[in-house]
Amino acid sequence: MKSNPFDTKIIEGEDLENKIIMWLTDNGVTSAVKIGGNFKEYDIFIASSEIKIECKNDNRAIETGNIFIETSCNDKQSGIYTTKADYWVIRAYKNRILIFKTKRIIQCIIDNNIPSTTHNVKQNISFKKMTACIIPINVLERYKSNSKDLLC
């Protein structure tokens, strides 16, 4: 039986969320909880500091040299423009994790005049019309945060 790529993405997303929770716990942040279900505003909440974290995987970053930042889906604003997360954690290569304040990603898009482009993205058996900013990793990295910012 052929595996469903959407199921793989869910498993990869949960893996990243679990890794971040474990890292936070290992560094003394015991109040971090993963938000379950289809909650779109953020993935992890740190109760002690009220920090909200969105986790993203970009498996193609290593081959493209870019990070895909969603801005709308099916003609509705989404992603970076609607998130309630304070931080975005992006796994850009299998084990390379980058941390950004959400506002800094938006600032990168503005500073570097990164346009939104339209893409047909396959999810499960259907396609979604998605717009995104495709940001070169070396440009986006200039806006990254220190991982210790999450340990407040």
Side-chain angles (χ1 to χ4, degrees):
M1 183 173 182
K2 189 175 178 183
S3 66
N4 182 335
F6 189 67
D7 290 342
T8 301
K9 286 183 179 190
I10 290 171
I11 291 167
E12 288 174 350
E14 289 177 356
D15 175 66
L16 177 57
E17 293 165 9
N18 290 334
K19 281 186 183 340
I20 298 303
I21 292 283
M22 284 180 10
W23 177 80
L24 289 165
T25 302
D26 289 349
N27 284 279
V29 179
T30 58
S31 66
V33 294
K34 194 165 84 165
I35 308 299
N38 193 21
F39 189 73
K40 296 180 190 244
E41 295 179 349
Y42 50 89
D43 298 314
I44 295 171
F45 181 68
I46 303 174
S48 59
S49 59
E50 297 186 2
I51 290 174
K52 298 173 278 304
I53 303 168
E54 178 70 20
C55 297
K56 297 289 184 187
N57 283 297
D58 191 331
N59 294 330
R60 294 196 56 217
I62 195 160
E63 67 187 74
T64 66
N66 300 310
I67 300 287
F68 183 96
I69 302 291
E70 178 185 333
T71 58
S72 73
C73 184
N74 294 329
D75 297 320
K76 290 184 180 179
Q77 263 195 343
S78 62
I80 196 72
Y81 293 138
T82 61
T83 187
K84 301 291 186 217
D86 303 300
Y87 288 86
W88 274 34
V89 173
I90 302 172
R91 182 165 41 192
Y93 316 107
K94 286 292 181 192
N95 293 311
R96 177 92 190 270
I97 295 176
L98 303 169
I99 299 170
F100 302 91
K101 284 186 177 179
T102 304
K103 292 176 185 177
R104 295 286 292 157
I105 296 173
I106 295 169
Q107 191 62 53
C108 175
I109 291 167
I110 293 167
D111 289 351
N112 296 283
N113 296 315
I114 308 285
S116 286
T117 54
T118 303
H119 308 266
N120 286 318
V121 177
K122 187 173 184 177
Q123 288 192 342
N124 207 354
I125 59 171
S126 63
F127 285 86
K128 290 186 176 187
K129 180 180 154 192
M130 198 173 280
T131 59
C133 292
I134 308 299
I135 306 174
I137 294 169
N138 63 339
V139 171
L140 187 58
E141 280 186 314
R142 295 191 305 241
Y143 293 82
K144 71 182 178 183
S145 297
N146 187 319
S147 61
K148 294 188 184 341
D149 291 348
L150 298 178
L151 303 178
C152 301

